[in-house]
Amino acid sequence: MAARGLGSEGTARSQLVDDFQELRRTLETMNLFHANLGFFFLHLAQVLILEALAWVIVWHFGSGWLVTIFISCLLTVAQAQSGFLQHDMGHLSIFKKSKWNCLMQNFVMGHLQGLSAKWWNNRHFQHHVKTNIYPKDPDIDVGPFFVIGDLQPVKYGNSKIKFINYEKQHLYFCMVGVPLLIPVAFNLKSMQEMYRRRYWEDIAWVSSSYIRYFITFGPFYGIFGTLMLICLVKFLESPWITYITQMSHIPVKMSKEENQDWFSTQVLATCNVEQSFFNDWFTGHLNFQTEHHLFPTMPRHNYHKTSPLVKSLCAKHGLPYVNKPMLKAFGDIARALKKSGALWKEACCTHPQT
């Protein structure tokens, strides 16, 4: 019976692989891997207009507190949307030639955001290849600051590792992790990677970003004031990006390396957020996280056309296709962290120190 069961499982997996390959061919026939350049041009124009508008407002109205707060909001939107745009370029999903995607990613990521494109690509490609596989996915290897999933908390609990009180990590995440991810963690890691690996091209692009800020805003705020403006914008951007990037992975399955097919691995390690015009814009279409992970080179404006076909294939093979409201997705991050903290506490109590 065991042999028959194993054979049946192998047949089902083989059928799923065949069905996924057929789905891929169908999507290619529908030209869903072909980018609408106008769509991405409008997104880039949005960023550049917001950046320019912020400077015009300061030039016209001065650098008072209300003006500073207002332009900080404009620049925050520009930064977040730049992040989503460089993500598209990093996945080579806009231009047919890789060199154009790379060049534009350097401009958007390096010049507009002040971060290393090579650092981001190295990290992000690992995440896509080993999605939610502990500890190979760098996005979930967040110890010792947090413990997530079911494996890491037990490992830390058994070893009596307590960098913080992980039982309350859901609170620390909201109060400390969310506002500091971009201005502290990402910027420090980007700088460290650039100089350690001698990414001279990235260093030049990032330097140009800070030079641009000091040229455009320095006359109004001075050197220190401009630095504070940059920090404020990154501080405001951080919750936006943190919640968007974590809502689709932290609350779902995390595991060690398993011998699974690509489709099952990605579906089980991701979840979606409901579609709306606002949700698509606010998340950079990362509300279609499942489709993005299944077809990472697909232009994001085609995810909504792909979604029904993916959902149908999931239903055929008994796999979950999770699609939730955005606020619930945000709340699930804290709930998942609280659950992992409880697992850590239980492991500590089960194995008391001798």
Side-chain angles (χ1 to χ4, degrees):
M1 291 180 66
R4 284 200 300 271
L6 183 60
S8 176
E9 181 182 344
T11 301
R13 180 178 298 180
S14 177
Q15 183 60 52
L16 175 55
V17 171
D18 291 342
D19 287 347
F20 178 60
Q21 291 175 344
E22 180 61 31
L23 172 60
R24 172 88 190 198
R25 288 191 289 269
T26 299
L27 298 176
E28 290 173 348
T29 302
M30 296 169 65
N31 288 324
L32 295 186
F33 289 91
H34 179 74
N36 179 347
L37 295 182
F39 173 89
F40 292 105
F41 173 80
L42 288 176
H43 276 271
L44 178 59
Q46 167 194 213
V47 171
L48 297 178
I49 289 170
L50 288 171
E51 294 268 359
L53 183 60
W55 179 83
V56 169
I57 289 173
V58 174
W59 173 76
H60 186 75
F61 294 102
S63 55
W65 280 105
L66 289 178
V67 170
T68 301
I69 292 171
F70 182 67
I71 68 160
S72 295
C73 293
L74 294 181
L75 292 172
T76 296
V77 175
Q79 286 290 292
Q81 293 299 322
S82 294
F84 300 139
L85 190 57
Q86 73 82 25
H87 176 253
D88 299 314
M89 295 161 180
H91 280 290
L92 311 179
S93 64
I94 300 180
F95 301 102
K96 292 181 180 180
K97 292 187 177 180
S98 298
K99 67 177 182 179
W100 286 108
N101 285 290
C102 294
L103 176 62
M104 288 303 298
Q105 187 189 24
N106 281 329
F107 170 73
V108 175
M109 186 68 159
H111 182 68
L112 295 181
Q113 289 201 284
L115 293 170
S116 167
K118 286 188 177 67
W119 159 76
W120 184 87
N121 286 336
N122 289 340
R123 177 189 179 92
H124 194 65
F125 294 166
Q126 291 179 66
H127 163 67
H128 270 269
V129 173
K130 301 293 182 181
T131 309
N132 275 28
I133 294 175
Y134 177 77
K136 296 182 179 181
D137 182 350
D139 282 9
I140 66 169
D141 188 16
V142 291
F145 301 105
F146 298 99
V147 291
I148 57 179
D150 297 337
L151 301 175
Q152 189 185 15
V154 174
K155 177 182 176 181
Y156 274 47
N158 290 341
S159 302
K160 299 298 176 290
I161 299 176
K162 185 181 178 181
F163 191 77
I164 64 169
N165 182 0
Y166 298 114
E167 196 176 14
K168 300 185 184 301
Q169 66 175 357
H170 56 292
L171 301 177
Y172 301 140
F173 174 80
C174 296
M175 294 184 296
V176 180
V178 167
L180 296 185
L181 178 69
I182 299 295
V184 178
F186 273 22
N187 276 273
L188 288 179
K189 288 181 179 179
S190 171
M191 293 290 183
Q192 179 186 33
E193 188 86 353
M194 281 193 302
Y195 286 99
R196 185 169 66 88
R197 296 184 179 272
R198 294 181 174 86
Y199 293 153
W200 302 118
E201 184 180 5
D202 283 21
I203 291 172
W205 280 110
V206 171
S207 299
S208 74
S209 175
Y210 286 91
I211 291 171
R212 173 175 57 88
Y213 261 93
F214 285 117
I215 289 175
T216 52
F217 293 104
F220 308 104
Y221 292 100
I223 295 177
F224 180 75
T226 303
L227 279 173
M228 291 300 99
L229 177 65
I230 294 172
C231 291
L232 175 60
V233 171
K234 292 183 181 296
F235 180 82
L236 293 174
E237 178 197 7
S238 192
W240 187 343
I241 298 302
T242 302
Y243 275 107
I244 296 306
T245 56
Q246 302 308 311
M247 68 181 182
S248 302
H249 292 296
I250 284 184
V252 295
K253 178 185 177 183
M254 297 180 191
S255 62
K256 293 182 179 179
E257 190 87 64
E258 296 176 354
N259 184 25
Q260 282 190 315
D261 60 276
W262 176 258
F263 186 85
S264 300
T265 300
Q266 300 304 322
V267 167
L268 293 174
T270 57
C271 67
N272 283 2
V273 165
E274 294 174 348
Q275 182 192 18
S276 70
F277 179 81
F278 175 79
N279 285 1
D280 291 353
W281 173 83
F282 187 75
T283 66
H285 287 83
L286 293 179
N287 51 330
F288 290 98
Q289 192 72 208
T290 300
E291 286 71 25
H292 171 59
H293 269 260
L294 289 172
F295 310 103
T297 60
M298 178 180 286
R300 57 168 146 140
H301 53 71
N302 288 330
Y303 290 158
H304 72 282
K305 299 176 183 177
T306 308
S307 177
L309 300 177
V310 173
K311 186 176 181 180
S312 176
L313 187 55
C314 286
K316 178 180 178 180
H317 291 275
L319 291 169
Y321 183 86
V322 181
N323 190 30
K324 60 181 78 168
M326 185 182 292
L327 293 181
K328 183 180 186 304
F330 290 167
D332 283 348
I333 299 174
R335 284 185 280 271
L337 288 169
K338 186 175 182 180
K339 176 187 174 185
S340 297
L343 290 174
W344 170 82
K345 180 70 172 180
E346 182 181 355
C348 280
C349 296
T350 305
H351 299 84
Q353 267 183 319
T354 56

